[in-house]
Amino acid sequence: MNYEEVIQETLGYIEENLHESLTLDVLSKRAGFSKFHFHRVFRSVLGMSVNEYIRMRRLANASVALLHTNERIIDIAFYYQFASQEVFTRAFKQHYHLPPGKYRKLMSNLLKQKEESETN
């Protein structure tokens, strides 16, 4: 198996387990590499670190949950392994340039407007 196949398999595992604790130790062992080598290979294939990728994917999934569920922000934060709502809000704001509550409100309104204009 080549490096890209190993990374693709790892990405599948990450996607299925975003709500679980994902460490470099666990992922590198699954790939059969040392932590250092796995991190280097991952970065060379994706252009970002393992932790950056996991955080980005957790935030993307959390943004979908904010729009399509009524779950409390703190529950979404904990589900996606953020240590607190404050940590989640800081990361979310850094990535989306809006706090989660405001994102939910604005994007929900935009979705409603889009749906209304499509029905007219």
Side-chain angles (χ1 to χ4, degrees):
M1 193 180 303
N2 66 34
Y3 287 154
E4 288 189 13
E5 290 172 339
V6 170
I7 297 303
Q8 283 301 319
E9 186 177 299
T10 300
L11 295 179
Y13 179 80
I14 290 170
E15 287 299 316
E16 292 172 11
N17 294 283
L18 284 171
H19 59 284
E20 301 289 336
S21 176
L22 293 168
T23 64
L24 189 57
D25 277 341
V26 169
L27 297 174
S28 62
K29 282 179 185 169
R30 283 185 54 82
F33 298 137
S34 70
K35 288 190 296 189
F36 176 75
H37 187 64
F38 177 74
H39 188 268
R40 224 178 15 178
V41 169
F42 193 96
R43 186 179 281 284
S44 73
V45 171
L46 288 181
M48 66 180 73
S49 74
V50 175
N51 288 333
E52 289 170 326
Y53 179 82
I54 291 169
R55 176 168 275 216
M56 181 188 71
R57 294 303 304 139
R58 284 178 171 159
L59 289 169
N61 278 276
S63 73
V64 171
L66 286 167
L67 291 181
H68 300 290
T69 72
N70 292 322
E71 290 289 323
R72 296 179 319 158
I73 293 170
I74 193 167
D75 294 333
I76 293 170
F78 287 149
Y79 182 78
Y80 286 108
Q81 299 296 305
F82 288 90
S84 68
Q85 184 171 339
E86 182 182 349
V87 170
F88 172 67
T89 297
R90 198 173 322 121
F92 195 93
K93 192 173 179 180
Q94 183 178 12
H95 191 76
Y96 290 101
H97 307 290
L98 289 170
K102 197 168 202 174
Y103 176 90
R104 175 182 260 170
K105 192 174 189 177
L106 280 172
M107 296 306 286
S108 293
N109 288 339
L110 285 174
L111 285 174
K112 285 177 190 170
Q113 288 174 0
K114 183 181 177 198
E115 290 171 3
E116 288 171 2
S117 68
E118 288 176 354
T119 57
N120 293 337

